[in-house]
Amino acid sequence: MDKPRQHGFALLCSSMLFLASVAVASCVAAEFKRTKKEDIKLDGKLCSLPGSNAFGLGVAALICVSIAQVVGNLVICRHFCLGKNGRICNRRRTRISNAALLAVSWMSYGVTVVLVGTASSMNRRQAYGEGWVEGECYAVRDGVFVGSAVLVLVAVSTTLAALLLTRRKPHLERGQKVHAQVPPDGSQRNQCL
């Protein structure tokens, strides 16, 4: 592998790790900034909740983890689908381990999007009679954002692991030649061992 490709690959991995760390930090910060049960104000049957910064932090986490997930998977798909000259390869080089890692990555990502998206929308301002669902106020439970941070780590780390496995090539694919040994007399003997 030549130097520019190595540097590009290192840059890709480090940017994915940076985006994952921003997403995790946003999720953890959202856990502390979220609206609490004590913030609910009741007026008869009507309730209201003030808005919190957890909404913006949750949106930031969603954006960062989405970019990391999509970019990592695009690079993996590009590697599997395109050959050296940009032509589509006919042979399948998919490994079961890569497929399993990507499945875990996408499942973790999907659950993360649902949890962070729902929890973030619950942290918007909920006025009297206009609560989150059907006029009722809801507050996010403890640990939802922290659990989402763990899922972000699982999603990005499994994508990076699949990316690293994809980049590892057998010796013959790297351009290294294998030379057969020819006896000194020049004859080719077929010997079965």
Side-chain angles (χ1 to χ4, degrees):
M1 194 183 304
D2 53 350
K3 293 281 184 191
R5 291 184 109 181
Q6 284 180 344
H7 293 304
F9 183 71
L11 182 64
L12 172 74
C13 290
S14 60
S15 62
M16 285 179 65
L17 286 172
F18 174 74
L19 288 169
S21 62
V22 170
V24 168
S26 297
C27 285
V28 171
E31 180 70 32
F32 293 110
K33 298 285 187 179
R34 68 182 171 77
T35 53
K36 312 279 191 291
K37 191 176 181 180
E38 300 83 39
D39 297 334
I40 297 176
K41 297 175 186 171
L42 292 173
D43 183 16
K45 289 187 175 184
L46 300 176
C47 63
S48 78
L49 269 174
S52 73
N53 292 335
F55 175 73
L57 292 166
V59 170
L62 282 175
I63 291 170
C64 288
V65 73
S66 295
I67 292 171
Q69 183 75 10
V70 169
V71 168
N73 279 275
L74 283 176
V75 171
I76 291 169
C77 289
R78 181 182 174 271
H79 180 75
F80 277 130
C81 297
L82 297 178
K84 285 184 179 180
N85 301 327
R87 297 184 189 139
I88 297 176
C89 296
N90 291 329
R91 58 185 174 194
R92 292 183 67 195
R93 297 187 300 180
T94 326
R95 297 182 195 148
I96 293 174
S97 58
N98 281 353
L101 286 170
L102 289 177
V104 169
S105 174
W106 278 105
M107 285 188 289
S108 301
Y109 172 73
V111 174
T112 300
V113 167
V114 170
L115 282 177
V116 174
T118 304
S120 296
S121 68
M122 285 180 169
N123 281 284
R124 295 185 86 182
R125 184 178 172 276
Q126 300 176 31
Y128 286 108
E130 299 176 10
W132 191 67
V133 176
E134 297 177 3
E136 295 184 17
C137 297
Y138 291 90
V140 179
R141 289 184 173 224
D142 295 340
V144 171
F145 282 110
V146 172
S148 299
V150 171
L151 287 172
V152 165
L153 289 175
V154 170
V156 174
S157 64
T158 52
T159 301
L160 281 172
L163 189 60
L164 290 172
L165 283 176
T166 303
R167 297 291 293 185
R168 187 176 298 158
K169 298 178 183 176
H171 294 293
L172 292 176
E173 288 183 357
R174 280 191 230 155
Q176 296 178 357
K177 297 180 180 177
V178 176
H179 298 283
Q181 291 183 343
V182 178
D185 61 355
S187 65
Q188 302 247 346
R189 292 186 219 161
N190 293 330
Q191 295 180 343
C192 296
L193 299 176

